[in-house]
Amino acid sequence: MGIPINVKVNGKEYSQEVEPRQLLVDFLRETLRLTGTHVGCDTSGCGACTILVDGNAVKSCTLLAVQVDGAEVTTIEGLSKNGDHPLQEGFKEEHGLQCGYCTPGMIMAAADLLTNNPNPSEQEIRHALEGNICRCTGYHNIVKSIQYAADKMQGKEVSHG
Amino acid sequence: MIPSSFEYHRPASVSEALQLLQQYGEEAKIMSGGHSLLPSLKLRLSEPGHLIDISRISDLSYIREEGGVIAIGACSTHNAIGKSALVQEKIPMISQAALAIGDVQVRNRGTLGGSIAHADPAADWPASILASEAEIVVAGANGTRNIAAGDFFTGIFMTALEENEIITEIRIPIPPANTHSAYLKFPQPASRFALVGCAVMITRSNGSVERARVAFTGVSPSAFRDNAVEEAITGQAVNADSIKAAADKAAEGVDIMSDHYASQDYRKHLAKVYAKRALMAASN
Ligand SMILES: Cc1cc2nc3c(=O)[nH]c(=O)nc-3n(C[C@H](O)[C@H](O)[C@H](O)COP(=O)(O)OP(=O)(O)OC[C@H]3O[C@@H](n4cnc5c(N)ncnc54)[C@H](O)[C@@H]3O)c2cc1C
Ligand code: FES
Ligand code: FES
């Protein structure tokens, strides 16, 4: 039995019927066709499915779609209009990705961090990424990418590569 | 992985939630943050016919001071508690325990009430809930009752909660002045649950320990207060020797868990090390 939900995703209002057991990540990927949010583990461990719900980073494989009724959701597709958010630019400039599988989740977790702590130390960045796993990069360039974005968002000069 | 089908209910009040519990009985399951429950529904370890989502009940999410007590609504998230200025000022150990849980995504959803109801033997909360001598307020069909933390955790995934009862509030006494507290854990590297977690609260007067509370999680099937460590440090001046002597008494005579993460001997060793570190941290 479907139940109605109203949810704002990336600025757009949706009124939809969902099956109560539908996972939020499946609602995003399959119903709304927002496939930028990835599923790595499906067991709350890897962070690839990280999105923002009312501004807070959460793992969308561990929420039901019905739980975001009335909430505001932001996925990687909604972070910027043209893919030019300072975090997206940072990951490009600092080579923060290889295969890219973990990247949307990394960026959304970093977005939560920079909202709460605009000028994080390296240690604070690493701590904030505890819930996100990358099998390619060794994390070093991911940390640099986030430092780049933090600098840029504070109007500091950014060094390239 | 997709859970079995269920009907979803979102009651607006505790009394409505209790009615639903009465109505659906064994078929029903309460959901708060869903961060223990949903993983188990996805694995179909649990297949309730009715899910009662209490997370939106507004009078279950608050943190406030009430005459010598910090009252925390059961659905307050780990992150809200960890970041609360009131909690950080009055009982740092509680904030440290909250922020030691999992990762930021988990802390944004998981709740204090859900964690203690679940009573995972490796959960972080039980140690500091015991050390702070909190009270757990529970609502049921016959009204509310308060359960002392010391009576609450009864075994592995077992608590003093009766069927169809809901935790509504956790009440943590604000400790006397000259009290310092700390929670430290050795995280299991993959899950970040506590292999061993130690919560310590020390009240001093004239340089020596007047009152000590020490509790462990992760060590035995149920979190416990370690009276031997408490007694050994009480009355002592606080220094490296007295702390080491007290910490060496940790986890004596308790049923210590052993699994593929850590043997009994290793857990016992970690208990002593973390007792020492937490006592040190609470002595500054
Ligand atoms: C990836 C990951 C890592 C984690 N790491 C840690 C960690 O390091 N340390 C740690 O301590 N925990 C950890 N957790 C568990 C997390 O803290 C959970 O949030 C917590 O154990 C359960 O709280 P919840 O609000 O999500 O409860 P739910 O999942 O909603 O519920 C859990 C159980 O409690 C019952 N329940 C919930 N609320 C109430 C209530 N108010 N009254 C009565 N019964 C209730 C439910 O019916 C259910 O049986 C982790 C979880 C995940 C997914
Ligand atoms: S897919 Fe959600 S945490 Fe891995
Ligand atoms: S870039 Fe491949 S998993 Fe992170």
Side-chain angles (χ1 to χ4, degrees), chain A residues 38-49 59 61:
Chain A
H38 294 165
V39 176
C41 65
D42 200 14
T43 54
S44 353
C46 76
C49 64
K59 293 174 179 172
C61 74

Side-chain angles (χ1 to χ4, degrees), chain A residues 1 3 19-21 23 26 41-44 47 50 53 56-59 61-64 66-71 105 109 112 116 127-128 130-132, chain B residues 1-8 10 31-35 38-39 41-44 51 53 55-56 79 83 99 101-109 192:
Chain A
M1 188 184 71
I3 55 171
E19 204 188 342
R21 63 175 172 164
L23 299 175
D26 292 335
C41 65
D42 200 14
T43 54
S44 353
T50 300
V53 172
N56 298 314
V58 300
K59 293 174 179 172
C61 74
T62 312
L63 258 74
L64 300 168
V66 286
Q67 288 178 285
V68 295
D69 185 19
D112 176 312
N116 292 303
H127 186 63
E130 265 176 347
N132 294 73
Chain B
M1 297 175 299
I2 299 167
S4 306
S5 290
F6 51 79
E7 261 184 62
Y8 175 80
R10 194 157 65 214
M31 178 168 70
S32 181
H35 267 50
L38 264 181
L41 296 186
K42 287 170 75 177
L43 293 169
R44 304 206 176 187
L51 206 63
D53 181 355
S55 64
R56 300 276 188 99
N79 222 9
K83 296 269 174 72
L99 298 178
I101 293 173
D103 50 57
V104 65
Q105 293 96 321
V106 171
R107 294 192 293 273
N108 278 335
R109 294 301 302 191
R192 307 218 158 265

Side-chain angles (χ1 to χ4, degrees), chain A residues 62-113:
Chain A
T62 312
L63 258 74
L64 300 168
V66 286
Q67 288 178 285
V68 295
D69 185 19
E72 231 176 272
V73 168
T74 310
T75 68
I76 186 71
E77 289 92 343
L79 198 59
S80 63
K81 278 216 162 61
N82 305 309
D84 56 358
H85 185 279
L87 277 163
Q88 290 165 311
E89 185 181 313
F91 272 69
K92 197 171 90 198
E93 292 298 332
E94 299 288 349
H95 309 286
L97 63 145
Q98 288 179 25
C99 79
Y101 203 89
C102 70
T103 314
M106 288 288 178
I107 289 183
M108 299 316 282
D112 176 312
L113 168 69

Side-chain angles (χ1 to χ4, degrees), chain B residues 192-216:
Chain B
R192 307 218 158 265
F193 273 88
L195 258 187
V196 166
C198 183
V200 164
M201 211 161 194
I202 288 183
T203 310
R204 279 191 280 184
S205 70
N206 301 324
S208 68
V209 176
E210 188 180 85
R211 180 176 175 274
R213 296 289 178 266
V214 178
F216 283 104

Side-chain angles (χ1 to χ4, degrees), chain B residues 210-277:
Chain B
E210 188 180 85
R211 180 176 175 274
R213 296 289 178 266
V214 178
F216 283 104
T217 188
V219 177
S220 71
S222 172
F224 65 96
R225 281 260 303 274
D226 199 322
N227 301 117
V229 181
E230 292 177 0
E231 278 163 26
I233 196 76
T234 304
Q236 303 291 314
V238 179
N239 55 46
D241 289 340
S242 65
I243 285 177
K244 173 141 196 335
D248 275 344
K249 299 208 175 334
E252 284 303 338
V254 299
D255 176 15
I256 299 179
M257 292 192 289
S258 172
D259 53 30
H260 55 288
Y261 303 133
S263 66
Q264 277 186 339
D265 284 350
Y266 184 50
R267 269 204 170 76
K268 190 165 184 176
H269 169 74
L270 284 176
K272 294 182 200 301
V273 171
Y274 277 79
K276 189 170 98 183
R277 290 185 186 174

